[in-house]
Amino acid sequence: MTALWTSADAAAATGGDTGQWEATGVSIDTRTLQAGDLFVALKAARDGHDFVVQALEAGAAAALVSHIPDGADPARCLLVEDVLTALEDLGRAARARTDARIAAITGSVGKTSAKEMLRAALTGQGRVHAAEASYNNHWGVPLTLARMPQDTEFGIFEIGMNHPGEIAPLAAQVQPHVALVTTVGTAHLEAFDDVDGIAREKAAIYSGLVSDAQCEPTAIVNADLPNTSILMDAARAHAARIHTFGEADGAGYHLKAATLHDDCTVVEATADRRSLLFKIQSPGRHFAANALGVLATAEAMGADPTLSMLGLSRWQPPAGRGTREALLLDAAMEDSVIFLIDDAFNANPTSMAASLDVLAAATPTDQIGRVAKGRRIAVLGEMLELGTEAARLHAQIADHPGIAQLDTVHCVGDLMHNLYTALPDHLRGRWVETAAELASDAHRLIDAGDVVLVKGSKGSQVSRVVDALRKLGHPRGQPDKAE
């Protein structure tokens, strides 16, 4: 396998001291470390230096350390002053040595899905390197950069934030040719004065745009937002080209229609007077809007639009972000199925509204369960990091139009009690303080024919309800439709 980092290159990038070795990868976790990796001893919840010897014994080529732990071979340690700073240096060196076309993505909602959409769109059009999972913070971005092979042709980076001032430094490390902001919402509102403040922080991604012979600095802007003007101002300051997307009149990538089916979304759009028609293997109007932003990004990176649409047709949401699955409750009865929409990874008012729209458009199945009527059931956990507006924003969910199409809403957590009391009596299921309470009664919540949405911030732990529901049945694979 070709070396990703030689000891000489890594030492030159970081200013560190080491012996001779070659690394084929970069790891921060001994649980997923592969033989030949450079193990980076970051200090987080635990000090990575405590695992250096274990990493070397497991086959790590070397370890990036700020001191040599007892029992570690000094020749296999890249000794630096600060490990995180050295990881950033590795990332900058990786960025500098590649001729790849680079995209950076941020947004209050949908950045991980958009990153995976773009990966799918570009796959087959060149060598693609993209962030794993949601590696979008102060260590995830430089780690993804440090892992980028020199011969990468398309690089995709996700950039997140929790507080003001986080995005611009990460964008400066990535140096994207193209930058996309999916949307701006109330996520992390507790750290900002208002949503416009969040928009300004998201727009900081455009400050990292660079130009070279391959690609002009291009900003991709959502045209449908109350604060689109804030994004546009930043885009004009840093981009040579700007592409807009959305339903708004005049949007360059204009969404004409998004038809939701039980297992997919059919998207009709125009782009520079071209007609676009493609399918996404998951229901959701928000996926359609993101897909147009992704197509604009891919085209700005030099990709073929038709091949990009074909790639998007194979995309499905990452686990916990709207994945839909059929669960067979009784192996002896082929139609004893529930459809589970797992959106338990994260939540804010914008993504909550989008998920409720998906559930409202889903088709339950009648006459196959003990209840006879198939139901649309929502299990909703708290939306966290909303600051002083949290109680109001939770209660406001009751006003969402999709709520009227549901049969039962179960609520988890103290903040969700605000929604529970705002719901009409006939929609109130159970309110519980913890997800564990609902998980233990999962068998009482559902019946064959139901469509069940589980949605909440990761900290609400509603993924425990997802796990409990899965244990009640057997996966039947992706359904053609919910009949």
CSV table of all heavy atoms in Angstrom, one decimal, residues 97 113 120 128 134 144 151 153 192 214 227 248 268 296 299 336 353 403 405 444 483:
chain,number,residue,atom,x,y,z
A,97,ARG,N,-0.2,19.8,-0.8
A,97,ARG,CA,0.5,18.9,-1.8
A,97,ARG,C,-0.5,18.3,-2.8
A,97,ARG,O,-0.1,17.5,-3.7
A,97,ARG,CB,1.2,17.8,-1.0
A,97,ARG,CG,0.3,16.8,-0.4
A,97,ARG,CD,1.1,15.8,0.5
A,97,ARG,NE,0.3,14.8,1.0
A,97,ARG,CZ,0.7,13.8,1.8
A,97,ARG,NH1,2.0,13.7,2.1
A,97,ARG,NH2,-0.1,12.9,2.3
A,113,SER,N,-25.7,15.1,5.5
A,113,SER,CA,-26.4,14.5,4.4
A,113,SER,C,-25.9,15.1,3.1
A,113,SER,O,-25.7,14.4,2.1
A,113,SER,CB,-27.9,14.8,4.5
A,113,SER,OG,-28.4,14.1,5.6
A,120,ALA,N,-21.7,10.8,-3.2
A,120,ALA,CA,-22.4,10.0,-4.2
A,120,ALA,C,-22.4,10.6,-5.6
A,120,ALA,O,-22.3,9.9,-6.6
A,120,ALA,CB,-23.8,9.7,-3.7
A,128,VAL,N,-12.3,10.3,-4.9
A,128,VAL,CA,-13.0,11.1,-4.0
A,128,VAL,C,-12.5,10.9,-2.6
A,128,VAL,O,-12.4,9.7,-2.1
A,128,VAL,CB,-14.6,10.9,-4.0
A,128,VAL,CG1,-15.3,11.8,-3.0
A,128,VAL,CG2,-15.1,11.2,-5.4
A,134,SER,N,-19.5,12.6,11.1
A,134,SER,CA,-19.6,14.0,11.3
A,134,SER,C,-18.3,14.6,11.8
A,134,SER,O,-18.3,15.4,12.8
A,134,SER,CB,-20.8,14.4,12.2
A,134,SER,OG,-22.0,13.9,11.7
A,144,THR,N,-9.4,14.9,8.8
A,144,THR,CA,-9.8,14.5,7.5
A,144,THR,C,-8.8,15.1,6.4
A,144,THR,O,-8.5,14.4,5.4
A,144,THR,CB,-11.2,15.1,7.2
A,144,THR,OG1,-12.1,14.6,8.2
A,144,THR,CG2,-11.7,14.7,5.8
A,151,ASP,N,-3.1,12.0,-4.4
A,151,ASP,CA,-3.7,11.9,-5.7
A,151,ASP,C,-5.2,12.1,-5.7
A,151,ASP,O,-5.9,11.8,-6.7
A,151,ASP,CB,-3.4,10.5,-6.3
A,151,ASP,CG,-3.9,9.4,-5.6
A,151,ASP,OD1,-4.5,9.6,-4.5
A,151,ASP,OD2,-3.8,8.2,-6.1
A,153,GLU,N,-8.8,13.6,-6.3
A,153,GLU,CA,-9.2,14.5,-7.4
A,153,GLU,C,-10.4,15.4,-6.9
A,153,GLU,O,-10.6,16.5,-7.3
A,153,GLU,CB,-9.6,13.7,-8.6
A,153,GLU,CG,-8.5,13.0,-9.3
A,153,GLU,CD,-8.9,12.1,-10.4
A,153,GLU,OE1,-9.4,11.0,-10.1
A,153,GLU,OE2,-8.7,12.6,-11.6
A,192,PHE,N,-25.7,32.3,20.4
A,192,PHE,CA,-25.8,33.5,19.5
A,192,PHE,C,-26.9,34.4,20.0
A,192,PHE,O,-27.9,34.0,20.6
A,192,PHE,CB,-26.0,33.1,18.1
A,192,PHE,CG,-24.9,32.3,17.5
A,192,PHE,CD1,-24.7,30.9,17.7
A,192,PHE,CD2,-23.9,33.0,16.7
A,192,PHE,CE1,-23.6,30.3,17.1
A,192,PHE,CE2,-22.8,32.3,16.2
A,192,PHE,CZ,-22.7,30.9,16.4
A,214,GLN,N,-7.5,25.4,-11.7
A,214,GLN,CA,-8.6,24.3,-11.9
A,214,GLN,C,-10.0,24.8,-11.6
A,214,GLN,O,-10.9,24.4,-12.3
A,214,GLN,CB,-8.3,23.1,-11.0
A,214,GLN,CG,-7.0,22.4,-11.3
A,214,GLN,CD,-7.0,21.1,-10.6
A,214,GLN,OE1,-7.5,20.1,-11.1
A,214,GLN,NE2,-6.5,21.1,-9.4
A,227,ASN,N,-32.5,35.1,5.9
A,227,ASN,CA,-31.2,35.8,6.0
A,227,ASN,C,-30.3,35.5,4.8
A,227,ASN,O,-29.1,35.5,4.9
A,227,ASN,CB,-30.5,35.4,7.3
A,227,ASN,CG,-30.8,34.0,7.7
A,227,ASN,OD1,-30.8,33.1,6.9
A,227,ASN,ND2,-31.1,33.9,9.0
A,248,ALA,N,-37.1,29.9,-4.5
A,248,ALA,CA,-37.3,31.4,-4.8
A,248,ALA,C,-37.1,31.7,-6.2
A,248,ALA,O,-36.3,31.1,-7.0
A,248,ALA,CB,-36.2,32.2,-4.0
A,268,GLU,N,-38.0,17.8,-9.6
A,268,GLU,CA,-38.1,18.5,-10.9
A,268,GLU,C,-37.5,19.9,-10.7
A,268,GLU,O,-37.9,20.6,-9.7
A,268,GLU,CB,-39.5,18.6,-11.4
A,268,GLU,CG,-40.1,17.3,-11.7
A,268,GLU,CD,-41.6,17.5,-12.1
A,268,GLU,OE1,-41.9,18.1,-13.2
A,268,GLU,OE2,-42.5,17.0,-11.4
A,296,ALA,N,-25.2,22.0,-7.7
A,296,ALA,CA,-24.5,23.2,-8.1
A,296,ALA,C,-23.0,23.1,-7.6
A,296,ALA,O,-22.1,23.6,-8.4
A,296,ALA,CB,-25.2,24.4,-7.4
A,299,GLU,N,-21.1,20.7,-10.0
A,299,GLU,CA,-20.9,21.3,-11.3
A,299,GLU,C,-19.8,22.3,-11.2
A,299,GLU,O,-18.9,22.4,-12.1
A,299,GLU,CB,-22.1,21.9,-11.9
A,299,GLU,CG,-22.0,22.2,-13.4
A,299,GLU,CD,-23.4,22.4,-14.0
A,299,GLU,OE1,-24.4,22.2,-13.4
A,299,GLU,OE2,-23.4,22.8,-15.2
A,336,SER,N,-47.0,-8.2,8.3
A,336,SER,CA,-46.9,-7.6,9.7
A,336,SER,C,-45.7,-6.7,9.8
A,336,SER,O,-44.8,-7.0,10.6
A,336,SER,CB,-46.9,-8.7,10.7
A,336,SER,OG,-45.7,-9.5,10.6
A,353,ALA,N,-39.2,20.2,11.7
A,353,ALA,CA,-40.3,20.5,10.7
A,353,ALA,C,-40.1,19.6,9.5
A,353,ALA,O,-41.1,19.1,9.0
A,353,ALA,CB,-40.3,21.9,10.4
A,403,ILE,N,-48.4,18.2,11.8
A,403,ILE,CA,-48.9,17.6,13.0
A,403,ILE,C,-50.3,17.1,12.9
A,403,ILE,O,-50.7,16.1,13.4
A,403,ILE,CB,-48.8,18.6,14.2
A,403,ILE,CG1,-47.4,18.8,14.6
A,403,ILE,CG2,-49.7,18.2,15.4
A,403,ILE,CD1,-46.8,17.7,15.4
A,405,GLN,N,-51.7,15.7,10.5
A,405,GLN,CA,-51.8,14.5,9.8
A,405,GLN,C,-51.4,13.3,10.6
A,405,GLN,O,-51.5,12.1,10.2
A,405,GLN,CB,-50.9,14.5,8.5
A,405,GLN,CG,-51.2,15.7,7.6
A,405,GLN,CD,-52.6,15.7,7.1
A,405,GLN,OE1,-53.1,14.6,6.7
A,405,GLN,NE2,-53.3,16.8,7.1
A,444,ARG,N,-45.6,-1.7,23.2
A,444,ARG,CA,-46.9,-1.1,23.4
A,444,ARG,C,-47.2,0.1,22.5
A,444,ARG,O,-48.3,0.6,22.4
A,444,ARG,CB,-47.1,-0.7,24.8
A,444,ARG,CG,-46.9,-1.8,25.9
A,444,ARG,CD,-47.1,-1.3,27.3
A,444,ARG,NE,-46.7,-2.2,28.3
A,444,ARG,CZ,-47.4,-3.2,28.7
A,444,ARG,NH1,-48.6,-3.5,28.3
A,444,ARG,NH2,-46.9,-4.0,29.7
A,483,GLU,N,-47.4,-0.4,1.4
A,483,GLU,CA,-48.8,-0.7,0.9
A,483,GLU,C,-49.6,-1.2,2.0
A,483,GLU,O,-49.2,-1.7,3.0
A,483,GLU,CB,-48.7,-1.8,-0.2
A,483,GLU,CG,-47.9,-1.3,-1.4
A,483,GLU,CD,-47.8,-2.4,-2.5
A,483,GLU,OE1,-47.8,-3.6,-2.1
A,483,GLU,OE2,-47.8,-2.0,-3.7
